[in-house]
């Protein structure tokens, strides 16, 4: 029973699904049917009737026949086939052959789209033909007027075109022939070909207008403007040479000769009415001439710089040379008292070498200025570099001078610190003597002896000639640290010794009450007499805190308030 129910449910679902799909296919058939009807009702025939108003020969006749045949094929063959396919789709749907129906519907859609595309091609080509015919007639009349205007301009300004006038006349004559070609092409019904002729004539006449506008100016530049500029440039170069300028490195005369050759080439092109290359070439020549003037101006500015700077630079060099010479003498004196590092000695030698080389360079530059055998721009570059080198040597020299001054400062600093250490040692000894200690620990005696020896060695090192400041500095730093530590140790030792005495005195009140206390205090006294102040304090303080917690804090307070 359950099996039958499930089977019936599946059957119902299948039938419902089939009906849904069949409904969709019927809907698609209706859409394709409407599309077919729309295509049948297109006014293609009416549109093609417009072509009959044209001259039905040649290209026009061929296009019309092609469009008519294509439309007849669509109406008599393609669309009836569409009707049959629509019936087949419905038949497949009725028989629940859905997959076949869908494939056939898709193929029919593609077929109708191809028909649609063919119709659009016919209509667009038709519109282009009809539109071109009208555009051609309007356009050719405008071009005839433009031709007459160009012809008048050419005749009115014929003297401005030189030999190019003959070439321009030939262009106009050829253009007139193209007008005849247009009439013949139109009479043969070749509307689209005639459109190409219209565009060709328009391009030629526009080029002629541009020629009429540009050619006189280009001729003037080629024949007069640029040659005059070159003559003025050569004259300026000769005048500058007479004034002592060296200009051979610029090679402007050679460039001017090349420009004359280029002008001849551009002139031939202009006379042949080929102005595009000449037009851009003349712009480049003008830019090149401007660059020549910039180079000459640079030489003038360079001369002014040289005249203004050569003497100040000479003075700076002499002053720096004298300073370096004095520093050399000072270095020799310093070396009698101090040892200089190999690096410092090398720096001093390098500074001396650099100033000597720079003096030689400047001498050569000054000689070139006097003899006027080198371009001022080159001399200017040399002087600028020399100025830069002077500043660099100045910096190195100042740094080295600072090293020499630092040596004396370091010596004075060592002496001052030596005196300070002596005072610190004397103060430590004074405090020890004043404390009336029973004696001093062995380690303390070793430390104070070591500190005394270090101070003596530093004093002896200071008497050596020449002094080795880096070594002295290392010795000083180590000794200074040891002496400061000794001072701290001295204060701590004296504080411990005094505190031990106070703790033992305070703890004596408990000797009779506690045997342990008595023994610990005795041990502390024994350590004190053996100069072990730290251990004595530890023994006494630990024992006292056991019998009276907080006693050590109380003793500290009593000491501070005395």
């Amino acid at each position: 029973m359950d099996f039958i129910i499930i089977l019936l449910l599946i059957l119902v679902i299948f039938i419902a699904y089939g009906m849904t799909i069949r409904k969709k296919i019927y809907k698609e058939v209706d859409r394709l049917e409407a599309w077919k009807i729309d295509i049948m009702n297109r006014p293609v025939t009416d549109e093609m009737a417009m072509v009959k108003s044209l001259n039905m020969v040649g290209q026009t006749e061929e296009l019309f026949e092609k469009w008519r045949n294509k439309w007849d094929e669509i109406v008599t063959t393609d669309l009836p086939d569409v009707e049959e396919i629509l019936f087949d789709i419905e038949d497949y749907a009725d028989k629940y052959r859905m997959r076949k129906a869908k494939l056939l519907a898709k193929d029919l859609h593609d077929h109708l789209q191809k028909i649609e595309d063919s119709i659009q091609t016919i209509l667009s080509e038709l519109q282009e033909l009809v539109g071109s015919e009208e555009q051609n007639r309007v356009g050719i009349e405008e071009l005839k007027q433009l031709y007459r205007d160009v012809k008048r301009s050419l005749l009115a300004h014929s003297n401005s075109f030189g030999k190019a006038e003959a070439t321009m006349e030939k262009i106009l004559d050829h253009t007139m022939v193209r007008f005849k070609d247009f009439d013949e092409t139109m009479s043969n019904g070749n509307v689209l070909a005639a459109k190409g002729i219209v565009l060709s004539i328009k391009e030629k006449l526009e080029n002629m207008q541009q020629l009429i506008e540009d050619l006189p100016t280009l001729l003037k530049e080629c024949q007069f403007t640029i040659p005059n500029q070159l003559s003025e440039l050569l004259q300026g170069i000769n005048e500058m040479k007479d004034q002592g300028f060296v200009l051979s490195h610029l090679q402007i005369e050679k460039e001017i000769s090349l420009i004359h050759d280029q002008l001849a080439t551009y002139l031939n092109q202009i006379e042949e009415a080929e102005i595009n290359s000449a037009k851009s070439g003349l712009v480049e020549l003008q830019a090149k001439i401007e660059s020549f003037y910039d180079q000459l101006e640079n030489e003038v500015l360079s001369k002014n710089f040289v005249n203004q700077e050569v003497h100040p630079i000479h003075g700076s060099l002499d002053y720096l040379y004298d300073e370096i010479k004095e520093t050399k003498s000072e270095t020799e004196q310093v070396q009698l008292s101090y040892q200089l590092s190999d690096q410092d000695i090398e720096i001093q030698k390098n500074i001396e070498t650099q100033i000597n080389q720079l003096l030689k360079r400047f001498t050569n530059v000054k000689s070139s200025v006097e003899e006027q055998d080198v371009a001022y721009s080159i001399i200017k570059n040399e002087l600028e570099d020399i100025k830069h080198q002077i500043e660099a040597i100045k910096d190195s020299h100042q740094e080295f001078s600072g090293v020499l001054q630092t040596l004396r400062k370091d010596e004075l600093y060592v002496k001052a610190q030596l005196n300070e250490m002596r005072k610190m040692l004397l103060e430590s000894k004074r405090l020890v003597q004043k404390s009336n200690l029973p004696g001093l620990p062995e380690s303390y005696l070793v430390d104070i002896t070591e500190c005394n020896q270090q101070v003596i060695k530093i004093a002896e090192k200071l008497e050596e000639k020449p002094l080795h400041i880096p070594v002295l500095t290392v010795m000083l730093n180590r000794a200074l640290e040891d002496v400061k530590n000794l001072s701290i140790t001295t204060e701590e030792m004296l504080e411990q010794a005094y505190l031990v005495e106070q703790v033992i005195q305070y703890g004596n009140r408990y000797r009779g009450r506690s045997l342990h206390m008595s023994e610990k205090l005795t041990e502390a006294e024994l350590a004190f007499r053996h100069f072990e102040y730290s251990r004595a304090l530890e023994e006494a303080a630990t024992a006292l805190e056991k019998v009276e917690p907080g006693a050590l804090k109380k003793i500290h307070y009593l000491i501070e308030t005395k």
Side-chain angles (χ1 to χ4, degrees), residues 503-515:
V503 171
I504 290 173
Q505 289 177 11
Y506 190 88
N508 284 334
R509 68 184 68 181
Y510 295 107
R511 279 182 185 271
R513 303 178 195 175
S514 171
L515 178 62

Side-chain angles (χ1 to χ4, degrees), residues 131-150:
S132 295
E133 195 275 343
E134 179 63 23
Q135 290 173 2
N136 287 347
R137 296 192 183 281
V138 174
I140 202 67
E141 292 301 320
E142 293 176 351
L143 291 177
K144 286 178 180 179
Q145 181 59 46
L146 180 59
Y147 174 84
R148 288 191 289 270
D149 294 340
V150 170

Side-chain angles (χ1 to χ4, degrees), residues 306-318 362 366 383:
V306 170
N307 290 337
Q308 291 173 5
E309 295 292 333
V310 68
H311 294 299
I313 291 174
H314 193 179
S316 297
L317 269 173
D318 287 344
F362 180 77
K366 191 176 180 183
L383 287 177

Side-chain angles (χ1 to χ4, degrees), residues 118-357:
S118 297
I119 293 172
Q120 291 301 322
T121 300
I122 292 172
L123 294 175
S124 61
E125 288 179 354
L126 189 150
Q127 291 296 330
E128 182 183 5
L129 180 66
V130 175
S132 295
E133 195 275 343
E134 179 63 23
Q135 290 173 2
N136 287 347
R137 296 192 183 281
V138 174
I140 202 67
E141 292 301 320
E142 293 176 351
L143 291 177
K144 286 178 180 179
Q145 181 59 46
L146 180 59
Y147 174 84
R148 288 191 289 270
D149 294 340
V150 170
K151 184 74 171 178
R152 281 195 297 269
S153 296
L154 183 61
L155 292 174
H157 304 93
S158 58
N159 294 332
S160 303
F161 306 123
K163 294 180 181 179
E165 183 188 3
T167 304
M168 296 167 76
E169 288 285 359
K170 290 179 182 179
I171 294 173
L172 281 180
D173 291 343
H174 182 263
T175 303
M176 178 56 70
V177 173
R178 295 297 285 164
F179 278 113
K180 294 178 181 178
D181 292 341
F182 171 82
D183 293 338
E184 183 178 349
T185 303
M186 285 292 287
S187 64
N188 291 332
N190 298 330
V191 176
L192 298 180
K195 182 179 180 181
I197 296 174
V198 169
L199 295 175
S200 173
I201 294 173
K202 182 180 180 182
E203 182 181 2
K204 286 183 178 296
L205 290 176
E206 287 178 347
N207 288 338
M208 279 294 295
Q209 283 183 309
Q210 195 65 47
L211 278 173
I212 291 170
E213 181 179 348
D214 293 342
L215 203 143
T217 302
L218 296 176
L219 276 176
K220 184 179 178 181
E221 284 191 34
C222 258
Q223 294 175 328
F224 302 105
T225 305
I226 293 180
N228 289 340
Q229 289 176 343
L230 295 177
S231 297
E232 292 176 0
L233 185 60
L234 280 173
Q235 183 180 351
I237 290 172
N238 291 330
E239 290 176 357
M240 289 181 68
K241 286 180 178 179
D242 292 339
Q243 295 171 12
F245 285 91
V246 177
L247 305 174
S248 56
H249 67 292
L250 301 178
Q251 296 187 328
I252 295 179
E253 291 95 338
K254 181 180 178 181
E255 290 292 330
I256 288 175
S257 177
L258 294 175
I259 290 175
H260 279 298
D261 294 339
Q262 289 174 303
L263 282 176
T265 300
Y266 295 148
L267 183 59
N268 289 333
Q269 292 174 351
I270 292 169
E271 289 176 347
E272 293 295 325
E274 298 173 359
I275 65 169
N276 290 333
S277 176
K279 194 173 182 178
S280 60
L282 289 173
V283 171
E284 292 177 3
L285 291 185
Q286 286 286 7
K288 186 176 287 188
I289 292 171
E290 288 296 324
S291 72
F292 293 155
Y293 278 108
D294 291 340
Q295 292 173 19
L296 294 177
E297 183 181 7
N298 182 49
E299 291 298 327
V300 174
L301 295 174
S302 297
K303 181 180 180 181
N304 293 335
F305 176 86
V306 170
N307 290 337
Q308 291 173 5
E309 295 292 333
V310 68
H311 294 299
I313 291 174
H314 193 179
S316 297
L317 269 173
D318 287 344
Y319 181 77
L320 183 58
Y321 176 79
D322 291 339
E323 280 195 330
I324 291 173
K325 191 175 179 181
E326 289 179 9
T327 302
K328 182 182 180 182
S329 299
E330 183 183 351
T331 303
E332 293 171 352
Q333 292 297 318
V334 167
Q335 285 181 297
L336 297 175
S337 302
Y338 305 97
Q339 287 189 31
L340 294 177
S341 68
D342 293 340
Q343 182 180 1
D344 289 334
I345 293 172
E346 188 64 26
I347 290 173
Q348 192 275 329
K349 289 181 178 179
N350 285 338
I351 291 172
E352 188 177 355
T353 301
Q354 289 173 12
I355 191 64
N356 287 330
Q357 290 176 347

